[in-house]
Amino acid sequence: MRAATFLAAARKLPLAPLERIIGAGGVVVVAPHPDDESLGCGGLVALARAQGRPVRIVVVTDGCGSHPNSRSHPPARLRALREAETLEAAAALGLSRAAVAFLRLPDTKAPRRGAAAEQAARRIQACARRIGATALLVTWGFDPHCDHQAAFAIAAAAAKRLRGVALLAYPIWGFSLADDAAVGAAPRGFRLDVTASFWRKRRAIAAHRSQTTAMVDNDPPVVILPPDTLARFHKPFETFFTVAA
């Protein structure tokens, strides 16, 4: 199926309650970069926490690729900043510091296979088992970013070893695919109404100031998430694709 047709169908996926989407237990959110958790499923996380469900966020890369030519924020400082922003975002969604893990794989170079990918998959697997997760969320495998695709591969490897845990994919950059890009079969899944937690999601996204403002000097200057891009995520619903086992 081509992207234009797939994404048109995705916008019409049925709305479903949280329980129908993630089951009765906890949820692990796998984010390729610091901020994907807030953009793609911040509303779901906040709703799950409001119900008292255990939620964990696993950030795969160190986030240092967002401003590769920054003099004000060399890699170590940028990593620290982006991790601090993620913890602030997580707090806005109802999570403690202990609920967030940073794997610190290299931004733009996250592996899809090999020893590092296997270790990451095992950490996600262990996290899911500790909290009795019934859902594992990760970025869509057709998102046009190498780290998003790698995160999907890592999460899929973890999901294969977990019984009773659904693998769900949330799109971030997928809605910017070329119309004729091939994306596989027709979408299956659900949309979640996040109206009740939308204010928390907006606070979480805003916490990622390095991505939404020009606070980090870079040559050339760059704002990763300008207002027109953020508008895609400032909607009262989130989309989740069901991934076949």
Side-chain angles (χ1 to χ4, degrees):
M1 178 174 283
R2 299 301 174 183
T5 304
F6 182 99
L7 295 172
R11 294 184 182 96
K12 298 178 182 179
L13 286 172
L15 288 167
L18 184 66
E19 294 77 9
R20 175 71 178 85
I21 297 173
I22 65 170
V27 59
V28 176
V29 175
V30 179
H33 308 102
D35 73 6
D36 290 317
E37 79 298 324
S38 300
L39 297 168
C41 46
L44 181 148
V45 168
L47 288 175
R49 289 300 303 133
Q51 292 185 3
R53 293 170 181 256
V55 178
R56 297 293 183 271
I57 293 172
V58 180
V59 182
V60 175
T61 74
D62 57 18
C64 292
S66 65
H67 297 79
N69 302 310
S70 176
R71 293 184 178 180
S72 66
H73 288 73
R77 186 182 182 197
L78 182 58
R79 183 185 72 189
L81 172 62
R82 297 202 65 186
E83 291 186 358
E85 290 173 342
T86 303
L87 294 174
E88 182 181 343
L93 298 175
L95 295 173
S96 68
R97 296 175 65 95
V100 185
F102 299 100
L103 303 188
R104 294 180 174 176
L105 293 176
D107 194 343
T108 73
K109 297 179 181 178
R112 301 187 191 192
R113 59 187 64 86
E118 172 66 17
Q119 183 178 20
R122 290 193 179 279
R123 288 189 64 180
I124 292 167
Q125 175 188 348
C127 183
R129 285 178 171 161
R130 278 196 300 272
I131 67 168
T134 51
L136 178 58
L137 277 56
V138 67
T139 41
W140 186 35
F142 289 97
D143 256 19
H145 192 296
C146 58
D147 289 336
H148 289 217
Q149 295 165 11
F152 178 87
I154 290 169
K160 286 181 179 178
R161 305 178 188 131
L162 294 167
R163 301 184 68 179
V165 179
L167 180 62
L168 304 169
Y170 58 93
I172 298 292
W173 301 115
F175 288 100
S176 65
L177 281 166
D179 287 349
D180 62 349
V183 295
R188 295 185 301 120
F190 305 97
R191 290 180 300 141
L192 176 67
D193 184 342
V194 296
T195 302
S197 61
F198 187 56
W199 67 276
R200 287 188 175 275
K201 177 174 181 172
R202 291 198 68 151
R203 282 180 57 191
I205 292 173
H208 294 282
R209 287 175 287 276
S210 66
Q211 309 303 295
T212 60
T213 73
M215 68 173 289
V216 177
D217 293 335
N218 197 73
D219 184 19
V222 59
V223 176
I224 308 301
L225 298 167
D228 58 336
T229 299
L230 285 176
R232 296 177 184 169
F233 305 101
H234 287 166
K235 295 180 180 179
F237 62 86
E238 293 171 344
T239 303
F240 301 95
F241 303 138
T242 303
V243 180

